[in-house]
Amino acid sequence: MADNMNGWQKLEKVQESVKDGKPQEAEKITSTITDPTSQKIFMETLASRCSSGSAGLPSCEIVGAEGNTKAVKFKGEHPMTVSRDESGGSSSLKVTDDAPSTGKKVMDTLRSAKDFLVNLPSEIADGARSAVKETTKVGDALNRSNTADSELNRRWENQLKKAEGK
């Protein structure tokens, strides 16, 4: 379908996709623009329409110099970026969905909660160590915990000595 459109029709369809928040549809259309000169004209026209606000597009940020637009970053309810990649001797247009996905937000929240819970015991122990001076019995016991010289190991050694009569 996009192959049968002229450049102006493709530009109009991409603008509609940006307004509607459909980056996949915009990607399908821009992938049919393969000629580097056509890509450059497409990006310049899109940047011009966005900056003038005449096409009803959301606010945008234009990356690159005038006459050499590298990307147009659309903001608002459906953020996305239309960019021109000229790496490796070839040129292509790409559309990136900049909206954070709900799944990503949930996973980031779960990951930070897990990190908090994993670090909580050490944070509590660190807080207890700082609250109790190093020279007190409690501070000394905390410093020796989980070592061969811990309070528990000392009690066992004392009980063995008493049992052996030493």
Side-chain angles (χ1 to χ4, degrees):
M1 178 181 137
D3 290 330
N4 298 332
M5 295 182 200
N6 66 32
W8 294 112
Q9 291 170 325
K10 290 179 182 181
L11 184 64
E12 293 293 326
K13 281 292 191 185
V14 168
Q15 287 176 193
E16 287 176 25
S17 299
V18 168
K19 291 177 196 174
D20 297 339
K22 298 179 180 175
Q24 295 84 7
E25 187 177 304
E27 177 70 33
K28 286 179 189 175
I29 295 166
T30 58
S31 67
T32 63
I33 306 170
T34 57
D35 178 54
T37 305
S38 297
Q39 292 172 354
K40 186 171 181 162
I41 293 169
F42 179 88
M43 289 299 292
E44 293 305 316
T45 308
L46 184 63
S48 173
R49 286 186 174 193
C50 179
S51 64
S52 70
S54 62
L57 292 167
S59 65
C60 68
E61 175 187 346
I62 299 170
V63 179
E66 190 173 324
N68 190 20
T69 303
K70 299 288 182 192
V72 179
K73 296 182 178 191
F74 294 97
K75 300 173 182 174
E77 188 177 339
H78 307 290
M80 70 177 76
T81 301
V82 179
S83 61
R84 183 169 179 234
D85 184 18
E86 298 177 288
S87 62
S90 65
S91 179
S92 64
L93 292 176
K94 294 182 181 180
V95 178
T96 309
D97 186 2
D98 296 338
S101 69
T102 303
K104 184 179 182 307
K105 286 181 184 176
V106 168
M107 290 306 293
D108 289 344
T109 302
L110 289 175
R111 193 172 298 116
S112 77
K114 177 186 169 200
D115 291 343
F116 173 76
L117 291 174
V118 166
N119 294 327
L120 187 61
S122 65
E123 289 178 16
I124 291 173
D126 291 344
R129 282 189 191 101
S130 65
V132 180
K133 300 287 186 207
E134 296 293 324
T135 57
T136 65
K137 288 184 178 184
V138 174
D140 189 40
L142 283 172
N143 285 335
R144 287 193 322 266
S145 64
N146 294 326
T147 66
D149 193 32
S150 69
E151 284 293 319
L152 183 59
N153 286 342
R154 285 182 175 190
R155 280 192 221 127
W156 287 346
E157 287 175 14
N158 285 337
Q159 286 177 355
L160 283 174
K161 285 179 186 176
K162 286 180 184 176
E164 293 171 355
K166 294 182 181 179

